[in-house]
């Protein structure tokens, strides 16, 4: 029984490691994110990046709209910066979505 459980967990990890995110959604809400696995900041960043790309907007264009540096947008999208709610609100407004749409299901 123990070997079955350990093999099951090993197989599960392999399957989870092969999960890829489809960033082609036009809506944010159906975009599923594994917060437990990747963290809330990475999840938010992936959703922001998906929305920005759906709008065919560059990081530089978004950074201009929210009056920040493109490197900051890059860090937000990769989950490497602890973004404030105020700045997050500016970004979602520039991306023409609501904060509740961005965070739905997290």
């Amino acid at each position: 029984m123990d070997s079955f459980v350990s093999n099951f967990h090993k197989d599960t990890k392999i399957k989870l490691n092969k999960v890829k995110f489809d960033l082609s959604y036009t809506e944010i809400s159906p975009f599923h994110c594994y917060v437990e696995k990747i963290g809330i900041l990475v999840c938010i960043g992936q959703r922001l990046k998906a929305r920005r790309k759906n709008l065919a907007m560059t990081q530089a264009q978004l950074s201009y709209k929210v009056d920040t540096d493109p490197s900051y947008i890059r860090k937000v999208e990769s989950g490497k910066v602890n973004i404030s709610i105020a700045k997050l609100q500016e970004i979602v407004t520039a991306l023409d979505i609501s904060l509740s749409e961005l965070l739905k299901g997290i």
Side-chain angles (χ1 to χ4, degrees), residues 5 14 17 24 33-34 51 54 59 63 71 73 78 80 98-100 102 105:
V5 172
I14 291 168
N17 288 336
S24 64
C33 197
Y34 296 96
R51 178 61 179 173
N54 286 335
Q59 289 176 336
S63 68
S71 66
I73 299 297
S78 63
K80 294 183 179 176
S98 69
L99 199 51
S100 63
L102 178 74

Side-chain angles (χ1 to χ4, degrees), residues 1-103:
M1 183 84 154
D2 288 333
S3 65
F4 172 76
V5 172
S6 66
N7 287 338
F8 174 77
H9 287 297
K10 199 180 296 180
D11 291 342
T12 304
K13 286 180 185 175
I14 291 168
K15 289 177 185 174
L16 289 176
N17 288 336
K18 292 181 181 179
V19 171
K20 293 188 178 179
F21 295 100
D22 182 1
L23 300 177
S24 64
Y25 287 110
T26 54
E27 294 180 24
I28 295 297
S29 54
F31 185 83
H32 185 70
C33 197
Y34 296 96
V35 175
E36 310 81 38
K37 287 292 263 182
I38 63 175
I40 187 94
L41 295 176
V42 173
C43 188
I44 288 170
Q46 288 177 345
R47 289 181 174 196
L48 291 171
K49 183 176 182 177
R51 178 61 179 173
R52 177 182 59 77
K53 287 189 169 214
N54 286 335
L55 296 174
M57 186 184 296
T58 66
Q59 289 176 336
Q61 291 168 327
L62 178 57
S63 68
Y64 179 79
K65 283 186 162 197
V66 296
D67 193 31
T68 192
D69 194 74
S71 66
Y72 181 75
I73 299 297
R74 194 168 27 262
K75 289 174 186 174
V76 168
E77 288 182 351
S78 63
K80 294 183 179 176
V81 66
N82 196 5
I83 188 169
S84 71
I85 295 295
K87 187 54 88 173
L88 187 57
Q89 180 61 53
E90 286 181 49
I91 292 173
V92 297
T93 300
L95 294 174
D96 197 31
I97 57 171
S98 69
L99 199 51
S100 63
E101 284 178 285
L102 178 74
L103 299 176

